[in-house]
């Protein structure tokens, strides 16, 4: 997307965009960071870390799926961004380091905790995230592409399939 088109959609001048963001890349990074922050706040609302790993997995995944269904433009942007050289290095599964805050990497923390408790397969975090987030995002994308309204697929069955993919 050109900055001219971005400015047109934002109903502002292109020069205004560059007053706030030195480069188009910085603008895209900022949008991604804001989308990720909104997503994380949504899935963490009411999350109980004292529950067993499987219950926490279902909680986070069902909220993630709901977020994807409710925010198709955010889903589309994040998917496109993370599959470009610009976004690869900023993907949470690529940035995560042991000791990071749970709030910044909730699903990754859950998966690492499950590996440590021998409840989750000992695969790389990018592989595990692909099995979970890839399936959830793909399902939500298909939901939107097919124009489905108020008839989401069986959430529990989909999340159970994701759980089966990662559980030991």
């Amino acid at each position: 997307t050109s900055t001219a088109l971005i400015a047109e959609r934002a109903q502002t001048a292109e020069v205004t965009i560059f007053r706030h963001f030195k480069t188009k890349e910085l603008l895209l990074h900022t949008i991604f960071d804001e989308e990720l922050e909104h997503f994380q706040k949504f899935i963490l609302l009411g999350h109980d870390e004292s529950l067993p790993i499987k219950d926490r997995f279902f909680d986070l995944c069902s909220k993630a799926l709901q977020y994807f269904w409710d925010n198709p433009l955010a889903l589309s942007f994040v998917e496109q961004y993370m599959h470009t050289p610009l976004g690869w290095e900023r993907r949470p599964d690529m940035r995560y380091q042991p000791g990071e805050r749970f709030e910044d990497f909730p699903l990754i923390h859950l998966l690492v905790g499950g590996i440590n408790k021998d409840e989750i397969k000992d695969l790389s975090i990018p592989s595990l995230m692909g099995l979970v987030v890839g399936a959830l995002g793909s399902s939500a994308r298909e939901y939107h592409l097919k124009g489905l309204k108020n008839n989401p697929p069986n959430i529990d069955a989909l999340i159970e399939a994701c759980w089966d993919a990662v559980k030991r």
Side-chain angles (χ1 to χ4, degrees), residues 45-58:
L45 189 63
H47 185 71
D48 184 353
E49 289 186 67
S50 69
L51 294 174
I53 287 177
K54 182 178 181 181
D55 294 339
R56 292 175 53 213
F57 180 87
F58 269 73

Side-chain angles (χ1 to χ4, degrees), residues 12-122:
T12 191
E14 196 171 355
V15 68
T16 304
I17 291 173
F18 287 111
R19 278 195 198 120
H20 295 283
F21 305 98
K22 292 188 187 286
T23 65
K24 182 178 175 182
E25 289 77 15
L26 184 56
L27 169 64
L28 294 172
H29 289 324
T30 301
I31 294 169
F32 175 76
D33 291 343
E34 288 176 1
E35 288 298 340
L36 189 60
E37 183 180 336
H38 293 304
F39 172 74
Q40 289 169 331
K41 283 182 181 178
F42 184 85
I43 67 169
L44 289 173
L45 189 63
H47 185 71
D48 184 353
E49 289 186 67
S50 69
L51 294 174
I53 287 177
K54 182 178 181 181
D55 294 339
R56 292 175 53 213
F57 180 87
F58 269 73
D59 177 60
L60 290 176
C61 289
S62 64
K63 289 176 185 171
L65 198 49
Q66 188 64 55
Y67 188 87
F68 293 155
W69 282 333
D70 292 346
N71 299 281
L73 294 178
L75 172 65
S76 179
F77 171 77
V78 168
E79 282 190 323
Q80 289 179 47
Y81 174 85
M82 289 195 317
H83 291 93
T84 66
L86 184 65
W88 289 338
E89 65 191 37
R90 297 177 64 84
R91 288 177 22 184
D93 59 322
M94 301 303 280
R95 289 189 355 233
Y96 174 79
Q97 296 292 319
E100 298 274 9
R101 292 177 347 133
F102 171 77
E103 295 80 12
D104 293 335
F105 300 92
L107 184 56
I108 295 173
H109 267 274
L110 178 100
L111 293 169
V112 169
I115 291 168
N116 292 339
K117 292 182 177 182
D118 206 29
E119 294 182 45
I120 300 287
K121 293 173 182 161
D122 190 8

